[in-house]
Amino acid sequence: MKQCNEVFQNFYLRRTKKVTPIAKPQAIMAKRKQEIENQKVINFLCSENGNVQKDKILILCEGYTEVKYFSSLVEKSDGLEKIKIKKGKDVDPLSLVGEAKRYLSFDRTHEKKLSEVWIVFDRDNHYSYQSALEKASRDSQIKVAWSNPCFEFWFLLHFRRKFDDFSRTKSVWNPTTNEFEHLYDSKACVSKLKSCIQGYKKSDMSTFKNLRTRTLKAIENSSFNQSDANELGSSVGLLIQSIIDSLVIQDDFWNKED
């Protein structure tokens, strides 16, 4: 196990850009937290105590709202040994793809435990959104669970299937393409969600618990667009279905409220 850890650390550090040290306590704490999370992924990918389970899934998330939602789902479905959820090192979609590729490269040259890596990110105002989608599509083991405009749209799908009140009201300059992008407003989406979930807050650990019984309906409602990431919609339902298939979750699981 020690040897596996050392190999990964050398492998990972060779492929990440060196960052000038920052003395601010918050930055130091954030870096330390990332190191701890990286170690957990190492343990997940390396055999320990005779655990040689294959077909594992790694989920890399843009933010903590997604991490807490999927962590709660996987924990409730007893899937912690097979599915690992991690906050990405960066929120930038293209960086998330790069992180996924590093973990896959390590896994492919070692124990080959991963069946797929899912990256969860939003459209929001990300300049690299399209580039990330294109780069991820070149690797069959990398899947993207996107939401346009934001992850809260996936939550909103638990309550609605029609979205005639959504429109592209934001114009954002993208310096990488030298063009204005006309986008759906994430803040407006969150506002609409709050009318369905009283007191909704980002990164709330109880979100999955509150939405659990509506999950299968959300998957059905999301079917109107799970393929065109530049339009209103979300492919998060495809990730949920992958989790269902991997853990063999039965339909009655979704009827529980605890």
Side-chain angles (χ1 to χ4, degrees), residues 199-218:
Y200 170 77
K201 294 181 180 179
K202 282 180 171 290
S203 302
D204 190 340
M205 198 65 188
S206 66
T207 300
F208 172 72
K209 176 183 176 181
N210 294 335
L211 298 178
R212 181 173 180 171
T213 59
R214 296 174 177 266
T215 304
L216 297 182
K217 175 58 70 175

Side-chain angles (χ1 to χ4, degrees), residues 58-186:
L58 175 63
I59 303 175
L60 295 176
C61 300
E62 171 188 341
Y64 286 109
T65 298
E66 296 91 329
V67 168
K68 291 186 177 182
Y69 173 80
F70 286 110
S71 294
S72 183
L73 163 56
V74 172
E75 181 180 357
K76 292 291 185 182
S77 53
D78 298 322
L80 293 177
E81 290 187 3
K82 196 165 186 179
I83 300 176
K84 176 65 182 173
I85 298 97
K86 178 186 179 294
K87 165 74 171 63
K89 189 175 181 180
D90 198 335
V91 299
D92 176 65
L94 200 55
S95 296
L96 288 171
V97 176
E99 187 173 358
K101 292 180 79 67
R102 287 193 292 274
Y103 283 125
L104 278 170
S105 294
F106 172 78
D107 185 62
R108 287 165 180 164
T109 56
H110 291 77
E111 301 189 27
K112 298 181 180 179
K113 288 192 171 187
L114 288 173
S115 62
E116 55 192 18
V117 178
W118 280 85
I119 309 170
V120 185
F121 59 79
D122 307 336
R123 177 60 186 94
D124 279 335
N125 298 336
H126 292 305
Y127 300 142
S128 69
Y129 182 74
Q130 193 61 45
S131 298
L133 292 168
E134 292 172 359
K135 187 173 182 178
S137 68
R138 299 181 196 134
D139 192 317
S140 61
Q141 281 186 276
I142 298 180
K143 314 292 182 183
V144 177
W146 55 268
S147 295
N148 190 350
C150 56
F151 193 66
E152 279 77 11
F153 187 78
W154 163 248
F155 295 157
L156 199 58
L157 284 162
H158 290 67
F159 303 93
R160 299 173 54 178
R161 62 185 305 171
K162 292 185 178 181
F163 302 94
D164 297 336
D165 54 337
F166 276 74
S167 59
R168 297 178 185 271
T169 57
K170 290 181 62 177
S171 292
V172 178
W173 177 256
N174 187 334
T176 63
T177 61
N178 291 322
E179 293 180 342
F180 276 104
E181 295 178 331
H182 304 288
L183 310 175
Y184 295 100
D185 190 347
S186 297

